[in-house]
Amino acid sequence: MEWQTERHIQTAERNRAVALAHLNTQAHSVRPPAYEWAAVIAFYAAVHYVNAYLWEVRRYEPPDHQSRNLLVRGDPGLRPCQQHYERLLAVGFRARYVPGFRLLEQGARDLVELDLEAVRRVVRDALGLT
Amino acid sequence: MAIPWQPEIRPVDAHELAAALAEMVRHEPSVLRMWVSSHGGVTSLWLLTEDMESKDELRLYGLTADLQDRFPGALFHFHLLSPQYYEWFDLDMLLPQGAEEFALRAA
């Protein structure tokens, strides 16, 4: 595996750990709990999983979100997790930019435990990581 | 073995994209209204929906891959607007200036 790929995987795993920690602790420190920030963290974990895949398979580092979106939607290897990535992208965007956007705990858990896990599983399987 | 490849970006008319998405969601009872906007060559598509279960949301997000298949290289954002996620649900604030409503169904 290329060293660039490994570094993206390491960063993705670290961000995933932060997202899980946020779900379990950080979100409770403000009222109402800021579960929507789990979406932001989870999205940036997903970005690194996708970048790891793209570097290993295509030697391509997307310069922006739009270029990455084209590949997530179009690459057969990423297609199985496309809808999950798309939701992370959209919800992460709203959590960052839209006033009043909120997630309840279950919605945040869906993003981290369902959507991010789908992206992680697809990429790790494609790269031969167990 | 790496496959050298880069995405090819192809401009597309925002209303063509909107029409294709409208056709895809025409029979989705949870989808209520639709808007389209464009900025810097990127189209944004907005669907106002009823509150939905997680699996139904995911199915709608999956439509973006079908839309990309029909318009390879087209740059677009896809947004679901569902009141359940907002402390204040105000379409005037959520939609960008200049967003046009796109008819989903014949009057």
Side-chain angles (χ1 to χ4, degrees), chain A residues 101-116:
Chain A
F101 179 79
R102 300 283 183 263
L103 275 183
L104 299 178
E105 180 175 359
Q106 187 55 54
R109 288 198 178 279
D110 283 349
L111 289 165
V112 176
E113 297 172 355
L114 179 67
D115 294 334
L116 179 57

Side-chain angles (χ1 to χ4, degrees), chain A residues 32 55-60 66-67 69-71 73-74 79 82-84 86-87 89-91 93-94 98-103 107 110 114-115, chain B residues 1-9 42 54 57-59 61-62 64-66 68-69 73-80 85-88 93-94:
Chain A
W55 185 260
E56 191 67 15
V57 174
R58 299 188 179 275
R59 297 292 187 268
Y60 177 68
Q66 288 295 344
S67 300
N69 295 347
L70 282 175
L71 287 157
R73 292 167 184 160
R79 195 69 172 252
Q82 177 271 333
Q83 60 186 344
H84 298 280
E86 199 82 37
R87 181 156 69 176
L89 168 73
V91 177
F93 176 88
R94 287 200 289 277
V98 179
F101 179 79
R102 300 283 183 263
L103 275 183
D110 283 349
L114 179 67
D115 294 334
Chain B
M1 172 74 70
I3 310 165
W5 186 88
Q6 295 214 0
E8 181 183 353
I9 294 170
V42 182
S54 176
E57 274 188 2
L58 268 182
R59 186 166 46 78
Y61 281 113
T64 56
D66 300 330
Q68 195 76 75
D69 285 346
L75 300 182
F76 65 89
H77 294 300
F78 177 78
H79 305 272
L80 293 183
Y85 293 119
Y86 296 89
E87 192 168 345
W88 320 284
M93 191 176 71
L94 295 173

